[in-house]
Each structure stands twice: as C-alpha cells, then as structure tokens.
Amino acid sequence: MGWQVPETFLFDPEPAVRETALKLYHQAQPLGILSPHGHVPPSLLADPNARFLHPTELLVRHDHYIFRLLYSQGIPLESLGVGVPEGQYDPLKAWEIFCRNFHLFDGTPTGLWLRLELTQLFGVSEKPSAKNARGIYEQIQAALDTPAFTPRALFKKFQVEVLATTDAPEDDVSLHLQAQRDGYRVIPTFRPDRLLQVLRPDWKARLGRLEAATNRSIERYGELLEALIERRRVFKQAGATATDHSTANVRIEPLSDAEAERLFARALTGQISPEEAEQLEAHALFDQARLSAEVDGLVMQLHLGVTRNHNRALFERLGEDMGADIPHAVDWTRGLRPLLNEFGHSPLRLILFTLDESTYSRELAPLAGHYPGVRLGAPWWYFDSVLGMERYLDAVSETATLHNTAGFNDDTRAFASIPARHEVWRRVVANWLARRVERGILELEEAHRLMRLAAYDLAAQAYGLEGVRVG
C-alpha cells in the first residue's frame, strides 16, 4: 500500500466515534482556508514569475519546526542551508541530510504535516530515508518546475482565501497591493515590536527606517507614536485587520506623558536601564491597545511568555527565528488587569496566545469567558500538535466556550504546510466533537455547528475577515 494518509487519519479507533468524526470532517473539507496570522513573505505572491527553486527551499530551510529538531541532534544549520545565501550551499546534500534523519519526526506534529505534504501534494509513496532521498528530491523538483506548483498556483490549489503576513511598520506594503490587484488576498499585519523594544541592538537603525518611511524626524515618544499611527493607517488601507505583538512579560500599563518622554530621551542617548525599557514598552503597548480600541479598530494579537533567541551564539551567527524561542511563566491575570479594565469592554478585540498550557484553565479561559473583548488564540508553537490541540479544547471549551476562541491559524513560514496544518486542526476538532456526541455532551446538530465555527467562522469573526472571498 505504500506510505499514505488513510481517510480516518487521526480519528478514534472506536467505530461510532470514528464514523461521526468522519462526517464532521467531511462537512469542513469544502471550506476555504483563512490564514490570519503567519510569516510567509508577500513577495511569493506579488511576483507572477516567482518560483520555488528546489525542495530544500520549499520544505526545509525556512521551517524552524524542522531545522530546530535537526539542530538538537547536533546537525549544523548551515548544512541545511539555514541562514546561508542561495548558491552558497548544496540543496541536494541538505535534502539528503533531512531525509537521512527523517525518523526523528516520527510521532511529532512536524512528521504529520510532512506526511500530508509529501503524499497529498507531491504523490510521494515512500517514507523519506537515506536510500530514497535523491529520488524524492527529483520527484518534487519535477513538480516544482511546472506551472501547477508556482506559489500563486498553490495558493489557489490550497483554497486559501486570505493570507496575512507579519510586517514591520517601516515595511513597504506595495507587494501586498500587487498581489491583491492580481486577485490574491494577501494582507499585511502590523508588528511594531522592534520599535518598542529600545534595548534591541538594531533599535536605532529601525527608528531611522521608520523616519524614512514617514518622512519625519522622531526625537520624542509622541513623534514615534504619530509615526506609528500613520503607518497603521497605511497598513489598514492595504487590507490589514490586525496587529501583532510579542514581548517577554505580561506588563501593559500606562505612564504619564512626561515620564514616557523622559524614558524615550534616555533610550535615544543609550542611558535607559532594563527596568526603564520594560516600563516604556509596557506604556507603548498600552498605547497600541488604545489605538485599536479608539482609532482604527485593528485586532490586537499578543504572543507573550517567550524568551526570544535564547541561544545567543546562534543568534549572533545566524540572526533571529532560528527555533530558539523558549517559553517562560507569566502572570496573565495581574499583567492584563490595567489593559482590560480600560479596554476590555470596549470595541478592542484582543487575541491571546500562550506557551504555558497551565494558564489555559487557570487564567486565560476565565478571562476570555468574562471580558467581551478577549479571544483565545489557537495552540501556538510547541502545542500546535494533536495532543496539544486536544488539551487546549478540553481546557478552554467549558469555561470560555469555543465562541470565545479565535479558531485556527497556522502561524507558518513554510508555505506548503498551510493546508496540512489546517487539515490536522480540522481532523482533531472533528474527533474531539465526535467523542462528545457519543458521550451525550453534544447533540449531533450542535457538533456540526461547532465544526463549522472551529474550521472557518471563528477565525473570520475574530480577525474581521468576513466577506473577503476572492475569485
């Protein structure tokens, strides 16, 4: 029979549950994909002539789920082409390393995504290994060389209706506009982290790029805020519906205008302390929430409780996003209280993501189950997995209800994994609902309604993406 994905993939072995799960999954299959948060570069869809060069570029070197695990086994990232300019590494050798170590992904979410991608998209019928690495490489390369496997062709094949990218305020949104003019709904997401975290080594350079993008001098905090307001307006005109923010701690509270200006002045002269920098960032995030609530209505996403670039040597050698983002504990209840007391009952829509599962039932589900403006984001990073999704659904569904969640987003840099990740989510939800039908917790009609919500509608509602179908 070969390496394949059966129709009952990820479903319960108990016949009644499996049958119900299959019906629920089939209900969701025709639905398009909303990808409201991710990191695919907009250039892939803006250029009608864009191509994926080879299998290693498409499947390995941009997917930190893959290269993170290989790195943990002592495989140098450079040997996989990670952080190395195209033409300065051998993509076939990198692919052979990947295939030789494919067994490392057994039983992992990455292994499931790869199985779906390789079998369903490329027709691969053997599990990758050292023996068949070259043959699979050539099979995928032959497909990539055809018009049916360009980024734009795959966008349509995957039934992607909306693809949101993640962009710095100073980034040019013309690529998004070009894709939209050609019928591909690719929208930016406003992420100002690097301009709000003043201890970053590149902060001054980022500030200079923002000055160039807005044609203004930024020498005061108030001037930074005005520049960010201008760029938020530009992003919204380009289709943005959301902002995204990642910070180490849940500390979002305002300062006086005078204190914010004092701290910003210290940042400009390089004299600001870590504690002062944290206070200024907390104030700036509070201002970003205020803008969402009172000015432009952009949804505010918070990805908190993670130490970014934990591996200092790797960061200094290859830069950011090398798979070294490590979770740490945060206090959501106390940390969000100033923000929620000010804006939790306003039009602000706040989507919360965590890397600490213990906070789902203890803090996040109760917060989302009370404040009208709060929604819970999909299981993120380490919990974007079968068991992680099941634990998430168990932890939040009774307190917050699914109605106070934001559905699913794939949060991926790996373009080809988008449909695979959504398929895993839909299959897991179908099976989870089917179990509750068999136990009498849900009626079958209720399960069908919740299936539709989890597969599509909740994301559309949470991110303001209703009515954006293309083509």
Side-chain angles (χ1 to χ4, degrees), residues 50 57 73 77 81 92 96 152-153 166 173 197 221 252 276 315 321 331 361 380 391 430 447-448:
E57 182 205 19
Q73 291 289 303
L77 292 185
L92 178 56
E96 289 172 340
R152 286 188 168 192
T166 301
V173 297
Q197 296 166 359
Y221 173 76
I252 305 176
E276 290 173 326
F315 170 70
D321 300 321
D331 186 340
S361 56
W380 169 42
R391 292 193 298 268
H448 276 289

Side-chain angles (χ1 to χ4, degrees), residues 16-48:
V17 174
R18 188 170 63 235
E19 181 180 353
T20 301
L22 194 57
K23 291 177 181 177
L24 292 169
Y25 174 68
H26 282 162
Q27 171 199 349
Q29 266 186 311
L31 298 173
I33 287 177
L34 299 178
S35 183
H37 174 70
H39 303 273
V40 171
S43 56
L44 275 181
L45 285 309
D47 180 2

Side-chain angles (χ1 to χ4, degrees), residues 339-415:
L339 178 70
L340 293 178
N341 272 278
E342 186 71 23
F343 303 118
H345 301 279
S346 75
L348 173 67
R349 176 59 53 84
L350 188 65
I351 301 179
L352 306 178
F353 295 85
T354 187
L355 285 176
D356 181 356
E357 285 188 308
S358 66
T359 63
Y360 277 136
S361 56
R362 186 180 66 241
E363 298 175 78
L364 293 176
L367 287 170
H370 175 74
Y371 285 98
V374 176
R375 296 291 182 268
L376 299 185
W380 169 42
W381 207 176
Y382 303 103
F383 308 120
D384 187 4
S385 64
V386 172
L387 298 181
M389 291 170 184
E390 290 176 346
R391 292 193 298 268
Y392 167 83
L393 292 166
D394 285 342
V396 310
S397 61
E398 293 179 328
T399 303
T401 80
L402 286 183
H403 295 274
N404 286 321
T405 68
F408 183 70
N409 67 62
D410 46 79
D411 189 22
T412 187
R413 289 175 171 80
F415 185 73

Side-chain angles (χ1 to χ4, degrees), residues 54-71:
H54 45 70
T56 302
E57 182 205 19
L58 176 65
L59 296 171
V60 179
R61 68 191 298 253
H62 300 298
D63 192 338
H64 58 199
Y65 287 87
I66 290 176
F67 64 68
R68 178 182 187 275
L69 181 56
L70 297 176
Y71 177 80

Side-chain angles (χ1 to χ4, degrees), residues 210-285:
L210 181 62
E211 289 178 321
T214 57
N215 194 28
R216 67 170 74 212
S217 175
I218 301 175
E219 298 178 354
R220 299 174 56 254
Y221 173 76
E223 292 170 342
L224 170 62
L225 187 60
E226 287 299 320
L228 293 175
I229 291 172
E230 178 181 330
R231 295 304 295 171
R232 286 173 67 111
R233 187 181 306 117
V234 169
F235 272 56
K236 187 168 183 178
Q237 289 170 348
T241 66
T243 70
D244 184 41
H245 311 266
S246 177
T247 184
N249 300 301
V250 182
R251 181 177 182 178
I252 305 176
E253 54 189 349
L255 301 169
S256 68
D257 290 345
E259 182 64 2
E261 292 295 352
R262 185 185 75 83
L263 294 183
F264 190 78
R266 288 178 62 80
L268 284 177
T269 59
Q271 297 177 326
I272 194 167
S273 70
E275 171 62 21
E276 290 173 326
E278 185 178 318
Q279 291 175 349
L280 183 58
E281 184 183 5
H283 172 78
L285 284 170

